[in-house]
Every structure is written in structure tokens, then in C-alpha cells.
Amino acid sequence: MVHLDGAEVLRISRGEQARGVVTVPGDKSVSHRALLLGAMADGITTIRGLSRGQDVQHTRRAVERFGVTVTETGDGTVRVEGPLRHEPDDVLDHGNAGTGIRLMAGVCAGVKGLSVLTGDQYLRRRPMDRVALPMREMGAHVEGRDGGRLAPLVIRGGRLRGITYEPPQASAQVKSAVLLAGLSASGVTTVVEEHPTRRHTEEMMAQFGARVTIDGPRVSVESGPLSGTDVVVPGDPSQAAFWALAALLTEASEVTVPGLYTGYGRSDFVAVLARMGADIELDPVSGDLTVRHAPLWGVDITAADIPGIVDEVPALAMAAAVAGGTTVISGAAELRAKESDRIASTAGMLRAFGVPVTETEDGLVIEGGAQLRAGRVDSCGDHRIAMTAAVAAACAAEGSSEIGDWDAVATSYPGFAAQLARVTGAVVEPGQ
Ligand code: S3P
């Protein structure tokens, strides 16, 4: 279904209920980290279930620039032969991937030599000073456009010293960049978080043999060799959130998404949807998510909720649009620094479907209970806006909707449009 993945505009005519079992791509956060740690480690790392999205493909090509061999076996297992052999022999292009470039900045800070990191037009507008500042504090030379705020970034890495860093924003990407640099720094490197974020980096570093300690909101790492290991990438909960939304929008719907990551900080959307009245269950052992249609009501979502649902806000906002009452989302200013300004793009998407919404500085006020009308949505080059809009078009909006910049979805979820057609019976085709 490559023609749907590559379509610039996708046209969707509403289907019936959402029903079935849907397999989602391997977790994107885990996939980036498995490639990076595999590249830094001595020996062979095997990765099963790696995300096939473009973001992760960019990370794969980037690690190859350091002389690391990445191959694939017949069953799709990816094999990484570390460690990094030299400074990268060309510019590292991370495409649209904020996680890719920021984590790679942490790796490059510890590599002796010169690294140049860049990305597409959207990534080059996103803040990089959040990683440049701690990398400089650790002893790396980091330059970038606009006084070091924007990519391309130029990093001269090498001798680093451990620091204790309290990121001013709740960001797993910043925490991870500092911890990855910490693997090559003298002494101990510690990150202290006010609002704790996803723990993939610290969990996986331990799996690769790093000396990591987690003490409440403090994570510390010491330098030392990593050894290659076998990684099995679980399903991506953030992608499952779109299927949860699909099940909640239409009566008599039921969707199961098997095998998701169930660790810290990734599935809080399940609790938020349950607070809204959803019939939703995530099995903590199997990672199977089951969602059945149920009437929803509006809730307040505040700053403490945000790190655990940071990528699911567009889908939750769409659930709020069909819920009874008002939903107020606050403390979410970080969303303005995502693949798009996600407060503005989520508001724009809701308006396109006729939902009354007010944008605030750090969130949204959504008046629920609207009957969605078909619309033309600009995804703003943001895969999560595109997929949320597609689900709304397939499951809730009467008539035929169009979604612009659809090809952004290939960054994380190739094949999504075809699955949506299968699960909902919607007619999905390239538009004008
Ligand atoms: C990610 C962290 C989050 C999230 C992104 C993936 C990660 O970004 O939005 O999609 O894998 O560490 P921030 O750390 O900037 O909040």
C-alpha cells in the first residue's frame, strides 16, 4: 500500500464500527535507543521488531556513518556490529526525528572528532539548545544556527566530565542525551527530573551492561564499556492510542492491540481515557490493549499528567471532542516544540471537524459533544495530527474528509492508512 503511505493528500470517507486485532509498529523510542546503544556497545546486538518508520531508518543510517555495520537477517532481525569506529564520515541526517537527533547529540559529544547533525525543514525549526547546553557543560564544543539554538548542529566531542543536570523542561530526550554522553564522561553523570519521563534509556543502558542507578527522580550513570545484547522491541503504545480512539468514536466498536510496551511513562493515556469513562484495559503482563466503545465525559488534564501522555494529546483531544462536557488541558507548553506546534495544530484539526476549541498559552479548552463534520485538515507535517484526523474521518465525521501532508505518517507508521481501511471499513484513497 505504498501509494497510500506516499500520498500527499489522503481522502477518507467514513466507515462503520472499528473492529479487530491490530498490530502496531515496534516502539519508536525503544528502536532508536536499541540502534544507538548497539552501535556504542562492543560486539553484536540483535534487534527484533525494530520500527520500520523513516525516523528510525534515519538513526540506522546515521550509526552506519561511524563505521558500524547494520544488517538484516531473513526474518527481519536487525544485527548491529559495534562499537563506533571513528567520527562520522558525513553529515548525519535525522529527517523529521527529534528523538534521533537529540539522542545522537549525546552520543556525538562523547566521540572524539567532528559530527554534523541536521534534519528536515521541520526538525531544523525545533529547539536544540536544550541538548547543546548540557553537552557544553560536560565539555563538548557545540555550535548551531541561531547561536546554537537550531540544527544543523556541529559537535566537537571527546573528553567529557560528569555533571548533575536538572533539565528545565520535562524531556526524556534531554535526559537521554545527557546519560548517553555520561557513558563517555569521567566521574558520575546524574539527571534529576522534576516531572519524571519515560525510562527507556536507563532501562536499556542497564541491559547493555552500563552502571546505572535509579533513585526516585535521580538517574546516574558511570562511564564504562557496553556489551552487545539481544533486544526485543515491544509494540508502540503511542501508536495504539489511535486505535483506542477509533474504538471510542463509534458505537459497537472493539479493538485489541497486542504486545505493547507496558513500562513507566508510556501508557498513561489508558488511565486518562478510563477517567473519561472509556472501557479500556491494558494487560500489564501481555501488553495487550482492549478498548470497547463507551460514552465519554470531559476531564481536566494538568501539568503532572503531560510527561506520561506527551505524544497522545492530539488523540485525547479528539476523544474530548465527542465527550460530554468540557475538557481543559493545561501545563502542556512543551507541545509547542513537537513535530509541529501541537497546541496550534491540534486546535486547527479540531476546528476543521467543526469542534469548538480555544487555544491557551499552555493547552486547550475543548467543548465536547459536537457532531463532527467532514473537513479538510492540514497535518502541518505532523504524523500524529495526520493519524488522529484520519481516525476521526474514518470513524466519526459524516462524509468525505481530506488530510494534507499525509506522507508525514511514514515517519512512524508505514501502512497505517491500509490498516485503518481494514479495521473501520472506511474508503481511503489518495486525494488531490
Ligand atoms: C521521546 C520523548 C518525547 C516524545 C518523543 C519521544 C523519546 O519527547 O515526545 O516522541 O523517545 O525520548 P521529549 O523528550 O522532547 O518530551
Side-chain angles (χ1 to χ4, degrees), residues 24-28 30-31 34 46-53 56 75-78 231-236:
V24 293
D27 188 272
K28 186 151 72 77
V30 173
S31 295
T46 66
I47 310 171
R48 275 205 291 140
L50 191 77
S51 162
R52 301 280 153 194
V56 172
D75 66 353
T77 301
V78 172
V231 179
V232 178
V233 183
D236 194 322

Side-chain angles (χ1 to χ4, degrees), residues 155-411:
I155 301 179
R156 189 164 278 288
R159 283 181 184 211
L160 302 180
R161 52 185 169 272
I163 57 169
T164 295
Y165 193 66
E166 295 182 32
Q169 56 292 102
S171 168
Q173 294 177 358
V174 174
K175 169 173 68 176
S176 302
V178 175
L179 293 175
L180 286 164
L183 288 173
S184 342
S186 59
V188 180
T189 299
T190 302
V191 179
V192 187
E193 293 191 291
E194 188 187 345
H195 293 297
T197 59
R198 62 191 71 191
R199 291 184 180 148
H200 301 297
T201 301
E202 42 274 52
E203 286 172 355
M204 287 183 73
M205 278 181 168
Q207 192 190 336
F208 278 84
R211 285 181 287 174
V212 185
T213 45
I214 304 175
D215 180 10
R218 297 173 77 85
V219 190
S220 301
V221 67
E222 285 173 61
S223 71
L226 304 179
S227 339
T229 184
D230 299 322
V231 179
V232 178
V233 183
D236 194 322
S238 300
Q239 310 291 30
F242 301 113
W243 301 113
L245 176 66
L248 290 168
L249 290 182
T250 318
E251 275 178 29
S253 293
E254 175 168 349
V255 176
T256 299
V257 189
L260 302 177
Y261 175 83
T262 56
Y264 182 83
R266 291 299 305 284
S267 37
D268 294 6
F269 72 94
V270 173
V272 172
L273 287 172
R275 239 155 74 196
M276 295 175 77
D279 181 351
I280 186 165
E281 209 180 309
L282 176 61
D283 185 310
V285 178
S286 65
D288 295 354
L289 179 75
T290 308
V291 193
R292 292 175 207 89
H293 174 78
L296 304 178
W297 52 83
V299 292
D300 282 352
I301 296 174
T302 59
D305 295 315
I306 300 299
I309 55 167
V310 69
D311 292 331
E312 289 73 62
V313 170
L316 292 171
M318 188 56 79
V322 300
T326 305
T327 291
V328 180
I329 302 174
S330 60
E334 262 300 300
L335 295 188
R336 294 204 185 270
K338 294 292 171 194
E339 285 84 331
S340 63
D341 172 344
R342 258 192 205 150
I343 293 183
S345 53
T346 301
M349 167 189 68
L350 292 175
R351 277 189 207 111
F353 287 110
V355 178
V357 55
T358 312
E359 205 182 303
T360 63
E361 218 169 282
D362 67 347
L364 295 162
V365 180
I366 301 157
E367 301 301 337
Q371 168 56 51
L372 305 193
R373 56 168 155 73
R376 189 180 166 96
V377 179
D378 177 6
S379 77
C380 304
D382 186 330
H383 57 136
R384 300 202 196 277
I385 299 295
M387 287 188 275
T388 303
V391 170
C395 301
E398 278 317 327
S400 179
S401 299
E402 286 199 330
I403 301 157
D405 261 350
W406 173 259
D407 46 354
V409 170
T411 60

Side-chain angles (χ1 to χ4, degrees), residues 120-186:
D120 70 8
Q121 54 165 325
Y122 302 100
L123 191 60
R124 283 183 275 113
R125 288 203 290 259
R126 296 177 64 186
M128 295 299 150
D129 43 348
R130 53 183 57 198
V131 288
L133 292 171
M135 293 307 102
R136 283 191 200 117
E137 214 179 307
M138 295 179 81
H141 294 277
V142 186
E143 297 289 337
R145 270 191 315 133
D146 195 21
R149 216 176 60 80
L150 300 174
L153 290 179
V154 179
I155 301 179
R156 189 164 278 288
R159 283 181 184 211
L160 302 180
R161 52 185 169 272
I163 57 169
T164 295
Y165 193 66
E166 295 182 32
Q169 56 292 102
S171 168
Q173 294 177 358
V174 174
K175 169 173 68 176
S176 302
V178 175
L179 293 175
L180 286 164
L183 288 173
S184 342
S186 59

